[in-house]
Amino acid sequence: MSILSKAYFHDEAAAYAKLEAIIWPEGPVCPHCGCMGRIYKIKANPEKRVRLGLHKCGDCRKQFTVKVGTVFEASNVKLNLWFQAAYLMASSKKGISAHQLHRTLGVTYKTAWFMAHRLREAMRVLHIEPMGGEGKFVEADETYIGGKETNKHRSKRNSKNIGGMGKEIVFSLVEREGRVRSHHVPSVTARTLRPILVAQLDAKTFLMTDDAGQYRHMHKDFVHETVNHGIGEYVRGGAHTNTVEGYFSVLKRGINGTFHHVSQQHLKRYLAEFDFRYNEREALGVNDGQRAERMLSGIVGKRLTYGGSGAA
């Protein structure tokens, strides 16, 4: 039976019940005072304007639903549509555009765009622990996001933009057979990248990079090996950056083929999306349905509001 036949994709009451099971596995928790004991469920009644999933706290006497204190708060989109959007984003390896969401879900493009960014916020990791450790290998590399000058209109081309000039820089750390962590950085100098590596990696990690100048002094902080791509060396024993290059191939195919353009302002959110899907991938025992549920479990304690075209 298709997972899309599940009741919570089609019935809003079932969607509330499912989300409550994900967010409150041990029972309802008041988002206002943190009470777990004296909480009462109020039966939905459209005639009396009693909302679905409404609860009341016996301690602080305030009413709430499971959406309060999450990225879904104040949204008028039906909860079952949120479930559909979460599943589509979780199961699409290279992402799904807001235009496709708007056509599939039957909502406006503006609503679909807002939904997608709220779900990307749910994928963002708040509590970060060091990657790697004793006996672990982490590969580090950078890539450039942005269109080629030759593909731009003649009036918008800049002859000075050679290679990565004029593009956004993404720096990623990938643990072999493990997780990825990506950063939108202003430059690829040692001054920029070294603090990230020192903060993000366990000191006992085996660090693998290419032989670019910004990495040449990393042996002071880690056991560090490099490969020289300039002379055609891509693998030397256990030294290579093939894992992080594989991650970049998925990231760039998604941005170029699905989204076409990602603004500097929102690049970090798209990186969170691609990182999340990689970290919750099938190779680590996570299927599409589980990935969607893990995404939804990340909605708590986050808000994302927009005024006009800017982010707040």
Side-chain angles (χ1 to χ4, degrees), residues 10 30 89 111 179 193 281:
H10 309 282
C30 176
M89 291 182 68
T111 296
R179 303 170 72 81
L193 302 187
R281 63 191 184 276

Side-chain angles (χ1 to χ4, degrees), residues 151-170:
N151 291 339
K152 296 179 182 179
H153 189 277
R154 187 184 302 274
S155 64
K156 296 182 180 179
R157 293 176 191 167
N158 185 342
S159 60
K160 296 181 181 180
N161 287 348
I162 301 172
M165 294 291 291
K167 298 184 180 182
E168 301 304 318
I169 306 167
V170 174

Side-chain angles (χ1 to χ4, degrees), residues 174 178-180 243 247 274-281:
V174 179
R179 303 170 72 81
V180 64
T243 314
Y247 171 75
F274 280 88
D275 281 3
F276 175 84
R277 277 195 299 265
Y278 185 89
N279 294 338
E280 305 293 345
R281 63 191 184 276

Side-chain angles (χ1 to χ4, degrees), residues 215-235:
Y215 301 120
R216 287 178 184 165
H217 300 289
M218 297 303 173
H219 62 275
K220 297 178 181 178
D221 304 291
F222 309 96
V223 178
H224 179 210
E225 289 194 55
T226 66
V227 286
N228 189 343
H229 292 170
I231 62 172
E233 180 186 54
Y234 292 92
V235 179

Side-chain angles (χ1 to χ4, degrees), residues 85-129:
Y87 183 80
L88 289 169
M89 291 182 68
S91 60
S92 302
K93 186 174 183 178
K94 299 179 183 67
I96 181 170
S97 69
H99 268 296
Q100 186 63 52
L101 281 176
H102 127 73
R103 292 191 296 269
T104 302
L105 302 180
V107 297
T108 66
Y109 170 70
K110 183 178 179 180
T111 296
W113 187 87
F114 197 10
M115 290 176 74
H117 274 306
R118 286 191 179 192
L119 289 171
R120 290 185 186 106
E121 184 68 7
M123 297 184 216
R124 183 170 62 90
V125 178
L126 294 178
H127 306 292
I128 299 177
E129 297 179 354

